[in-house]
């Protein structure tokens, strides 16, 4: 039976609202228009809510297998649906790592069995993400790998990274990099800056990230490889990527909501919910990230959703693991802090979270049009609500934004034509 979403509002390319209905048959959007017929159809009354494409997040940690006490594919993808995401790409720092055909096949089966939304699995660049031996890129691509990354650790040897890029290019696949030179980390747990000095703790310098990006950009040029920078965080990194794009090198970059909205000045003492990697940098870095997003240096927004158990985060700033959750709060936070305050437009925000990541990796998602996959979100832009971590579908409650009041809350998420999440209830 067809489904018709009635009385919705779409955003056009001029950032103007227009009323519209959307007809869905199976997994596909079949009609977009006004006053669509509803005979013999399931009807969803949008009641004036904004209708957008399903959000796309190409950097999440679902923890399964091996870290199910932090998150599972089921809980993480329900969190994604609750946040309006219909496509997520799962990082490979699990145990076991998806570094062989067998491990990736097992992961694909678990995704098929338990995921609430589409999951694109990364495969690792090296065996066990140990940085010693490259994986079999060709067989992993054939088994469904989305791209290759050792996210969580940077590839330390330039020769190994160059060879990885050559192999990825031969398969028309991307190398996605966590950029961090281990010799410069200095056992840091926060950014090397004002906060680290005040607290008397080791800091991670900005050059730790930027020097790896600069190296990798030159290697990507030599290998003719698509190179993607994870969670860019420093003004030096932005400048390096900007220069590379001007030189015609095939590099893309992402930025997280927390790096756009927070800096080291916002850390209220030794609160581990403000500990993430890369760390919150200086105010000038945050300003450079916003500028880079607006001028096209940074291609899209990704959450780096990184759930941890409460007892792990309770170990103190130096021992607690890096990372915060983000799937369920990303859109409301960015809408409230950037759109409502006039930093970016609503159209830009939606593009940064839908079509821009899709275009960067040639994915057929992130658009509302006839014939497209029916990945759709209904969003309430008018109701203010407080973030409550205890209500999260994610097992992880580790967020620095708890109790913050926001607008722009997803109310219903439709993935491939089926309701994946609706406010107040979950569909099977």
């Amino acid at each position: 039976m067809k489904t018709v979403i009635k009385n919705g509002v779409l955003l056009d390319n001029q950032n103007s609202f227009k009323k519209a209905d959307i007809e869905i048959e199976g997994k596909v959007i079949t009609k977009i228009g006004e006053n669509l017929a509803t005979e013999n159809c399931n009807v969803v009354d949008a009641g004036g809510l904004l209708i957008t494409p399903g959000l796309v997040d190409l950097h999440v940690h679902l923890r399964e297998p091996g870290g199910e006490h932090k998150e599972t594919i089921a809980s993480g993808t329900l969190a994604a649906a609750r946040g309006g995401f219909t496509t997520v790409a799962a990082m490979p720092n699990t145990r076991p790592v998806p570094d062989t055909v067998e491990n990736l096949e097992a992961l694909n089966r678990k995704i098929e069995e338990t995921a609430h939304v589409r999951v694109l699995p990364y495969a690792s660049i090296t065996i066990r993400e140990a940085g010693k031996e490259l994986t079999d890129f060709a067989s992993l691509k054939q088994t469904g790998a989305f791209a290759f990354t050792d996210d969580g650790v940077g590839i330390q040897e330039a020769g190994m990274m160059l060879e990885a890029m050559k192999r990825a290019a031969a398969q028309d696949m991307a190398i996605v990099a966590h950029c961090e030179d281990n010799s410069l980390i200095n056992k840091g747990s926060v950014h090397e800056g004002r906060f680290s000095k005040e607290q008397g703790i080791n800091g991670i310098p900005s050059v730790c990230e930027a020097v790896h990006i600069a190296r990798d950009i030159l290697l990507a040029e030599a290998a003719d490889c698509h190179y993607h920078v994870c969670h860019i965080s420093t003004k030096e990194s932005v400048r390096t990527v900007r220069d590379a794009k001007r030189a015609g090198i095939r590099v893309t970059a992402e930025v997280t909501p927390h790096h756009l909205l927070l800096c080291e000045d916002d850390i209220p003492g030794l609160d581990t919910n403000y500990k993430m990697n890369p760390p919150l940098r200086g105010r000038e870095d945050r300003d450079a990230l916003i500028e880079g997003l607006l001028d096209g240096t940074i291609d899209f927004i990704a959450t780096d959703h990184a759930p941890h158990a409460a007892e792990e985060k309770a170990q103190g700033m130096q021992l607690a693991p890096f990372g915060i959750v983000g799937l369920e709060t990303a859109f409301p936070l960015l809408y409230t802090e950037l759109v409502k305050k006039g930093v970016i437009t609503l159209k830009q925000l939606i593009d940064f979270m839908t079509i821009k990541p899709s275009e960067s990796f040639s994915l057929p998602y992130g658009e509302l049009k006839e014939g497209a996959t029916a990945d759709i979100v209904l969003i309430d832009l008018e109701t203010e609500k407080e973030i409550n971590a205890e209500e999260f579908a994610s097992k992880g409650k580790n967020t620095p934004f708890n109790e913050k009041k926001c607008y722009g809350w997803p109310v219903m998420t439709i993935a491939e034509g089926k309701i994946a999440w609706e406010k107040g209830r979950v569909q099977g």
Side-chain angles (χ1 to χ4, degrees):
M1 184 179 289
K2 295 179 181 178
T3 296
V4 176
I5 302 172
K6 296 287 290 183
N7 306 316
V9 175
L10 300 181
L11 193 67
D12 64 20
N13 290 329
Q14 284 70 48
N15 215 53
S16 298
F17 295 109
K18 63 177 183 179
K19 296 179 180 180
D21 302 337
I22 297 180
E23 181 187 88
I24 302 167
E25 187 168 2
K27 298 181 179 181
V28 178
I29 296 171
T30 47
K31 288 182 185 177
I32 298 177
E34 293 190 58
N35 302 314
L36 296 185
T38 58
E39 290 81 10
N40 300 315
C41 295
N42 295 316
V43 178
V44 174
D45 187 354
L49 296 175
L50 176 68
I51 303 176
T52 76
L55 307 182
V56 177
D57 189 348
L58 299 186
H59 191 144
V60 305
H61 297 269
L62 299 181
R63 304 301 189 199
E64 188 175 12
E68 288 85 352
H69 66 290
K70 301 173 188 278
E71 192 79 285
T72 63
I73 291 167
S75 65
T77 55
L78 183 55
R82 191 170 181 266
F85 293 92
T86 55
T87 301
V88 298
M91 288 297 174
N93 55 341
T94 53
R95 295 294 178 267
V97 175
D99 55 3
T100 66
V101 167
E102 293 74 20
N103 289 348
L104 184 53
E105 285 178 338
L107 177 61
N108 286 335
R109 286 193 295 271
K110 195 67 177 181
I111 290 168
E112 181 67 28
E113 292 167 2
T114 65
H116 292 267
V117 300
R118 182 182 300 106
V119 178
L120 308 175
Y122 282 98
S124 62
I125 295 172
T126 65
I127 298 295
R128 294 184 297 280
E129 290 194 321
K132 301 297 183 183
E133 181 183 356
L134 293 175
T135 57
D136 185 342
F137 286 19
S139 64
L140 287 167
K141 177 185 178 180
Q142 194 170 20
T143 311
F146 163 63
F148 298 99
T149 185
D150 275 8
D151 183 61
V153 288
I155 301 293
Q156 298 304 302
E157 296 182 7
M160 176 164 286
M161 183 57 117
L162 178 59
E163 179 60 27
M165 288 180 171
K166 288 178 178 178
R167 294 189 187 187
Q171 299 297 322
D172 194 24
M173 297 281 275
I175 289 290
V176 175
H178 174 110
C179 297
E180 191 171 41
D181 188 313
N182 289 351
S183 69
L184 298 171
I185 293 174
N186 193 32
K187 297 182 180 179
S189 50
V190 296
H191 171 61
E192 185 179 86
R194 181 196 57 78
F195 180 83
S196 66
K197 291 180 176 64
E198 288 179 355
Q199 299 294 332
I201 54 179
N202 288 353
I204 303 170
S206 294
V207 71
C208 177
E209 173 182 290
V211 72
H212 248 207
I213 294 175
R215 179 202 72 173
D216 287 353
I217 282 170
L218 295 174
L219 297 177
E221 182 180 32
D224 193 22
C225 174
H226 175 197
Y227 169 65
H228 178 74
V229 180
C230 290
H231 43 47
I232 193 168
S233 71
T234 77
K235 61 182 185 293
E236 296 88 353
S237 299
V238 174
R239 184 177 71 232
T240 304
V241 171
R242 183 179 289 120
D243 289 345
K245 288 194 169 188
R246 287 172 177 166
I249 300 170
R250 192 181 175 196
V251 56
T252 53
E254 69 191 39
V255 65
T256 71
H258 47 276
H259 287 109
L260 289 171
L261 301 181
L262 299 173
C263 68
E264 64 171 348
D265 296 343
D266 298 304
I267 306 175
L270 299 177
D271 183 344
T272 60
N273 284 322
Y274 290 80
K275 182 182 179 181
M276 64 283 289
N277 193 11
L280 297 176
R281 305 288 188 180
R283 187 171 298 275
E284 288 184 356
D285 296 295
R286 189 193 65 180
D287 293 344
L289 295 174
I290 293 173
E291 181 184 350
L293 190 64
L294 288 171
D295 71 15
T297 299
I298 300 171
D299 296 87
F300 59 85
I301 296 170
T303 67
D304 191 11
H305 174 82
H308 293 290
E311 58 271 21
E312 295 169 332
K313 274 293 193 178
Q315 296 178 91
M317 191 65 92
Q318 292 181 298
L319 295 179
F322 292 101
I324 65 170
V325 292
L327 283 167
E328 293 168 80
T329 58
F331 190 91
L333 282 167
L334 293 166
Y335 176 72
T336 302
E337 293 300 310
L338 297 186
V339 176
K340 287 184 73 67
K341 293 182 179 180
V343 180
I344 64 175
T345 67
L346 179 56
K347 177 69 165 58
Q348 286 173 316
L349 176 59
I350 292 170
D351 285 355
F352 289 140
M353 300 182 76
T354 57
I355 190 62
K356 295 291 188 180
S358 298
E359 287 177 343
S360 295
F361 284 81
S362 301
L363 296 172
Y365 312 123
E367 288 189 278
L368 281 182
K369 62 181 182 180
E370 294 179 1
T373 302
D375 294 337
I376 297 169
V377 187
L378 276 59
I379 298 175
D380 180 357
L381 298 179
E382 303 300 326
T383 302
E384 184 182 45
K385 192 179 81 168
E386 194 174 83
I387 292 172
N388 182 351
E390 294 307 311
E391 295 179 351
F392 287 172
S394 172
K395 287 188 174 185
K397 315 303 179 188
N398 46 306
T399 174
F401 298 108
N402 197 39
E403 298 184 351
K404 182 170 180 59
K405 293 180 179 179
C406 295
Y407 296 86
W409 292 95
V411 172
M412 177 184 287
T413 301
I414 297 171
E416 294 187 330
K418 295 183 178 179
I419 297 175
W421 177 82
E422 183 179 0
K423 185 178 180 180
R425 66 191 181 99
V426 178
Q427 301 295 325

